[in-house]
Amino acid sequence: MARVDDVGKAPTWRYVIRLWPLLLIFMALQLTMRLSGNSDALGLSHWLSLFDACFLFVVLMAAGIWVQRPVALSVRRIAGRGERETDRLVGHMAQLPWRALKGYTFAGVIFFTYLMVLLLATAAMNGVTMTAEMILALGLSVFYGAGVLTPVLGVALTLDYATRLRQGLARAGLFLEGLERLRGLPALTGSARRPWMIFIVTSLLPAACLAVYVYLAVMVDNAEQQRFIIDQAVVMLVSLLLAGTALVAVLSRTLRRVTTSLGLGLQFLRLGQFGGRVPVLMDDEMGELARGLNTALQGMQERDDMQDSLRIASEIHEGLLPKTQPSIPGYAIAAMQRSCHDVGGDYYDHIILPDGRVWLVMADVAGKGYPAALTVANLQAMLHALASLGIPIDEAGRYINRTLCRTLTGGRFVTLFMAMLQPEDHSLHWFNAGHVPPLMIRDGESTRLEATSPPLGLKEDEAFDVVYRLLEPGDTLLALTDGIIEARRSDSEMFGESRVSEWFAAHQDLDVEAMPESLMDELRGFGAKSLEDDVTVLFLRRAAGSEKEGKT
């Protein structure tokens, strides 16, 4: 791949020599005038025609150097000055067509003035009488060649050069995508209006001039004057054919370069090569399309990167959840989680303390995706740290709540059901901070463990009332998140808490290990669509013990 400074080593003359079609057209017009006898009628010698060509060459070279010089300097300096010079280059490239129009219009005016003064002076010195009709005919042909074709072809050649330069810079790794559409030249920079510009220059304006020639030829009675006017019409017709051909060829070549570049961008999309970029070669609708392709490629690349990040985040989130179910003497436990996104905001855990007690946790973070997953990671870390200290669950709740009040933003919060199981006396201490009420079933009757406090992260000085319950043989606890309750089928009806209670009562004798999947089968039988929220359940059943209930 070429370097940017290598592209900048191309001197200005590489741009200037691209103006050769203008010189070629002028020399062809001189030959036409010579063959038609028009030059002899004006008294133009061969050496004077050669001087005219040299004068045009000098004027075009001066205009070309003035037009391209700022761009050339910026490209040469960009390797050493970085982003600051890149911004300057963006500005110079955006102004290049407008600068070309000004430069070549001024050059055309100079050459038009020079030719008219030279031709009229030569005719006067050679005793040729120039009538008003002849002067007008001569002026029209010279004006069309110098005043119209020179700036139009100059701008078209400059646009072709600019696309080549941007393409070369793109190959060197510099994509000038910050270019703005040039307001001063909509006919030249807007692809929809460019055909109208070609029509005016190659059809409408020449047709009007030829109509004037016909009118002038009819108006004069002198055969020599008529011949002179007709010869000027022939000169203009030749210039029209040559310039029109050159203009269409240059613009077609430019358009082909642009469309080829856009085709490459579409190929990047088709092949999944989202790291590719399309150079913005023109400041028009084609340029907007190139920017759109680059935006799409970048978006697809970011999507792939995001998918990789989400995959890693999902693996991390899964790593926060228990890998196996704990072995608790006299108890059976089972849990399951299904996320509606790659990473979710549901969290469950069972943390075994050194003395054999067990913390049971069921939490739901408001929101989904990365923010919820980060909160889950923070919550998991705090719970495990607090559990290792052996502090009561109500103090753990207060600490977590204060921390979340200081870190959560945007009105986010966390609902939490937290219980401490003491297997030796079969007691369960729990509090519910705004979470979906878990169900405790005994002999076919279920009890809701209602919320005892608001969710975490809303009020910093919140207290947590811990409820005491003695578990009897066969008592089964179901803790869940609202993803199951709020699951909807096609008619928008929710699964609801009542269906959960009915299923729980009907399946209370089912093995605990089979309960999570059985509940999911019930959800699918209900006709629930794809999950709109995370689904998490945790079941706990006692096999032996005694009963007592109270409050601490």
Side-chain angles (χ1 to χ4, degrees), residues 281-352:
L281 300 183
M282 296 196 68
D283 297 319
D284 60 359
E285 292 82 358
M286 295 294 187
E288 294 296 334
L289 181 56
R291 292 186 187 93
L293 281 172
N294 287 335
T295 301
L297 288 167
Q298 183 178 0
M300 298 297 286
Q301 182 66 48
E302 291 175 354
R303 188 202 65 173
D304 280 2
D305 295 341
M306 181 66 72
Q307 286 180 342
D308 292 339
S309 299
L310 286 173
R311 178 180 54 80
I312 296 173
S314 178
E315 293 174 357
I316 295 174
H317 183 260
E318 291 178 2
L320 299 176
L321 303 177
K323 301 295 185 298
T324 58
Q325 307 303 333
S327 177
I328 306 173
Y331 287 86
I333 189 170
M336 180 199 67
Q337 182 179 84
R338 301 278 174 85
S339 295
C340 64
H341 295 276
D342 291 312
V343 290
D346 281 8
Y347 169 64
Y348 78 91
D349 210 342
H350 31 68
I351 307 171
I352 300 179

Side-chain angles (χ1 to χ4, degrees), residues 386 391-402 431 464 466:
L386 294 170
I391 66 175
I393 60 173
D394 57 336
E395 292 185 15
R398 285 195 293 270
Y399 177 84
I400 294 172
N401 179 58
R402 288 194 300 270
F431 69 84
F464 298 91
V466 177

